[in-house]
Amino acid sequence: MTSNEITTRDQQPAGAQESALVLWAYEARQAAQVAMSLAKTSFVPASLRGKPEDITAAILAGRELGLQPMATLRSMDVIQGTPALRAHAMRGLVQSHGHRVWLVEQSPTRVVMRGQRRSPGGGYEPEQEVVWTIDRAAQLGLTGKPEWKKQPQTMLTARATGEICRLIASDVLYAMPYAAEELDGDGPAAAVRTSGGRVTAAEIVGDPAPQPEAASDPVQPEAAEDAELDWPEPAQPGGEA
Amino acid sequence: MTAITEPGVYSLPDEVYHADPVPGGSLSASGAKTLLRAPALFQWEREHGRPPKREYDLGHAAHKLVLGVGAELAIVDAPDWRTKAARQQRDEAREAGRVPILAHEHEQVQAMAAALRRHPVASKLLDPDRGGQPEQSLFWRGEENVWLRARLDWLPNMDGPHRPIIADYKTCDSASLPSVRRAVANYGYYIQDAWYRSAVDNVLGAQAAFCFIFQERTPPYLVTVVQLSEEAQAAGRRAMSRAIEIYRDCTESGIWPGYVGDYEIPEIDLPPWTDRYEEYA
């Protein structure tokens, strides 16, 4: 639908709302051009590589969160069709809005985090605390997943980060409320892993069928691998990270 | 009475699977689809069974001939179901656990099976030589510790030289891509896709691919094989999670609401297309 049609339909002259939309559409086109040239570079995470449309959407979504395009690409992943911020980016975003998030306790079996929302008039609202234990993860059936076996502490921290950030600053995260690590092959919506790319007729009719190439596998997100532990060693309990 | 208390793959007769052999209950993909329409419908069907439909009989007969398993067919030599004698034979057949089918429909279904065997890809997907078992029932504990079950038309071999591909056979009026796409949305086949992949992942620890085989019920019985996009698969997984959550909540509370809660009075808007009338008013 063109902007003219919108104007006719709503019976209103071109106003502020329309020019905002036109501006957005202009920016979207610019973003699409940038995405085309970035799509094949290694600056783009594997889950977005070769997908300029997804990169465009990521850049635009990142912009709504106040992120620069290249920062967006370092911060975001598309996990099984759902765009998500990585946990470290989520924490950074919430902190950049003046809210406090810090680590209280961290071990492979238990992670405690606290957060405080900044009040509009200055000062801070009461502290909130989240606790993620390995038992809680086991109850959700997460601990059987490879990433949880390899690095339980990182995964617990990512879960706790997502939860505390949503608790104190959900308004900041409207566009992307879940951390990539929460969706990444271990989340409730991701109880199913996909099978490694499209099925081809040659694969079925040929005998024996060629196995799909690992390199063409679009569904193994890299986020889990590079969900590096970017937390400092726990400071004094209650101390700010 | 068979009772399933351990996750795994089971060869069960249709009626045992559909009667839900898990003590305390389990959720299937078709149950989930009904539950997402309204929990009360799911609960009613669970207590009363599904009313038999003619299309199901035809689809079932096609399954029987294509896959070589399922309930026995009872061929009724009548042109249609209008005579009392034909209807009586039909009811007796169902009573005896067999699937009633008219003689000319039986010929039709045989022709469908022949056409399917001529399709290079569809025939391979359902080829026993490729490794695999027809009509297998899988049981496992899913999210929220809820028991889930799935009955696969074709459970592929997990250890063979081929990537395992789950195949599901559907009969339809039109196998054109737009029709198939609508059918996948309308009949919740994308939920089935997520469900079966999850079954194979959880029970056998394998990531299988999934293809739907659609076949028209009229000559020349065209066949279309499709696979769902990444986005459609993700939608299926989300719907699956939602259904499991609703199932758990309703089971815990014992309350199975209709389309809206009994004490809710939602405000409704006009459908979006009525905007167009406003334009010209």
Side-chain angles (χ1 to χ4, degrees):
Chain A
M1 190 187 287
T2 68
S3 55
N4 277 341
E5 280 174 297
I6 296 173
T7 314
T8 317
R9 208 178 84 161
D10 293 339
Q11 297 292 304
Q12 65 182 24
Q17 205 174 354
E18 185 193 310
S19 43
L21 185 64
V22 169
L23 188 64
W24 186 88
Y26 174 76
E27 286 180 353
R29 274 196 298 277
Q30 299 294 312
Q33 277 182 11
V34 173
M36 287 297 284
S37 48
L38 287 175
K40 288 182 180 156
T41 69
S42 45
F43 285 88
V44 175
S47 62
L48 289 170
R49 208 161 295 154
K51 297 179 181 167
E53 297 84 4
D54 280 3
I55 297 173
T56 307
I59 291 174
L60 292 171
R63 208 182 127 73
E64 288 180 14
L65 294 170
L67 294 171
Q68 295 292 322
M70 295 311 282
T72 296
L73 295 177
R74 282 195 302 274
S75 314
M76 210 173 276
D77 253 311
V78 177
I79 306 296
Q80 298 176 348
T82 307
L85 279 178
R86 296 179 183 178
H88 67 83
M90 188 181 261
R91 177 181 56 129
L93 191 65
V94 167
Q95 289 175 333
S96 74
H97 280 75
H99 309 302
R100 286 175 172 166
V101 173
W102 68 96
L103 191 61
V104 177
E105 188 185 327
Q106 191 184 43
S107 77
T109 55
R110 184 180 155 91
V111 168
V112 180
M113 288 183 72
R114 287 192 196 138
Q116 260 183 318
R117 184 178 176 77
R118 193 178 61 162
S119 302
Y124 289 89
E125 292 181 7
E127 278 180 29
Q128 305 284 341
E129 182 179 277
V130 300
V131 180
W132 265 88
T133 61
I134 206 74
D135 290 344
R136 184 175 170 193
Q139 214 172 13
L140 288 170
L142 299 173
T143 43
K145 303 287 172 188
E147 224 36 61
W148 280 83
K149 283 182 182 156
K150 270 193 271 176
Q151 39 179 5
Q153 182 168 317
T154 305
M155 298 310 278
L156 282 174
T157 310
R159 287 264 160 181
T161 304
E163 194 166 285
I164 192 71
C165 288
R166 279 192 294 279
L167 211 52
I168 63 162
S170 55
D171 53 337
V172 176
L173 305 170
Y174 269 152
M176 246 163 262
Y178 288 94
E181 292 86 343
E182 292 178 277
L183 299 175
D184 183 17
D186 62 14
V192 191
R193 289 166 286 166
T194 35
S195 64
R198 283 168 61 91
V199 175
T200 63
E203 174 186 351
I204 295 165
V205 179
D207 194 31
Q211 291 290 322
E213 287 171 40
S216 67
D217 178 354
V219 291
Q220 288 294 335
E222 63 159 23
E225 275 165 32
D226 63 16
E228 77 287 354
L229 184 60
D230 62 343
W231 288 94
E233 284 305 304
Q236 307 301 322
E240 192 156 348
Chain B
M1 178 75 193
T2 318
I4 305 286
T5 54
E6 288 296 321
V9 181
Y10 296 83
S11 286
L12 301 172
D14 273 349
E15 58 276 14
V16 173
Y17 174 81
H18 290 298
D20 190 357
V22 176
S26 65
L27 187 61
S28 68
S30 57
K33 287 186 255 173
T34 312
L35 192 69
L36 289 170
R37 281 167 58 214
L41 294 173
F42 170 82
Q43 175 68 348
W44 196 89
E45 278 190 6
R46 195 156 65 158
E47 285 172 358
H48 297 83
R50 269 186 157 182
K53 279 194 191 165
R54 233 176 71 71
E55 305 88 81
Y56 288 165
D57 285 346
L58 196 68
H60 194 110
H63 269 81
K64 171 79 183 159
L65 291 182
V66 166
L67 304 169
V69 289
E72 287 302 317
L73 303 183
I75 299 159
V76 177
D77 197 4
D80 53 49
W81 300 112
R82 276 182 293 194
T83 66
K84 204 175 169 185
R87 283 204 299 271
Q88 192 179 345
Q89 287 186 58
R90 178 186 65 189
D91 296 343
E92 282 170 7
R94 282 192 181 141
E95 212 42 37
R98 295 189 300 165
V99 174
I101 182 167
L102 295 167
H104 69 90
E105 288 176 336
H106 186 239
E107 279 169 33
Q108 174 194 349
V109 170
Q110 280 178 313
M112 287 172 73
L116 195 82
R117 279 192 289 270
R118 285 194 299 272
H119 191 281
V121 169
S123 58
K124 281 278 183 190
L125 282 173
L126 304 174
D127 181 1
D129 293 340
R130 211 179 131 81
Q133 294 282 324
E135 303 264 332
Q136 295 294 301
S137 302
L138 277 65
F139 295 83
W140 74 105
R141 278 175 186 276
E143 290 162 36
E144 318 278 354
N145 228 7
V146 167
W147 272 99
L148 304 175
R149 68 183 199 275
R151 188 167 175 82
L152 274 58
D153 279 357
W154 191 259
L155 178 67
N157 186 358
M158 297 297 149
D159 314 314
H162 309 277
R163 165 162 66 153
I165 302 173
I166 303 165
D168 196 80
Y169 173 63
K170 310 272 185 210
T171 59
C172 57
D173 288 332
S174 166
S176 73
L177 281 184
S179 302
V180 161
R181 198 173 160 193
R182 271 196 299 278
V184 168
N186 291 344
Y187 302 124
Y189 294 154
Y190 61 107
I191 303 175
Q192 185 186 3
D193 181 293
W195 209 273
Y196 288 13
R197 286 177 198 258
S198 177
V200 169
D201 188 4
N202 280 279
V203 178
L204 300 162
Q207 283 85 64
F210 194 128
C211 287
F212 285 102
I213 302 167
F214 285 89
Q215 185 176 33
E216 294 188 356
R217 295 189 202 100
T218 47
Y221 311 111
L222 290 180
V223 172
T224 306
V225 180
V226 295
Q227 55 191 314
L228 298 193
S229 71
E230 185 71 16
E231 287 74 19
Q233 291 178 39
R237 289 191 292 270
R238 287 194 295 271
M240 180 175 176
S241 291
R242 208 162 56 240
I244 292 172
E245 208 173 300
I246 295 171
Y247 177 80
R248 183 210 52 192
D249 290 349
C250 293
T251 306
E252 278 175 12
S253 66
I255 298 167
W256 301 82
Y259 298 107
V260 294
D262 285 353
Y263 295 95
E264 282 170 39
I265 308 176
E267 186 178 84
I268 58 162
D269 214 338
L270 292 174
W273 46 262
T274 51
D275 283 358
R276 306 187 66 169
Y277 296 113
E278 304 260 317
E279 256 177 72
Y280 303 112

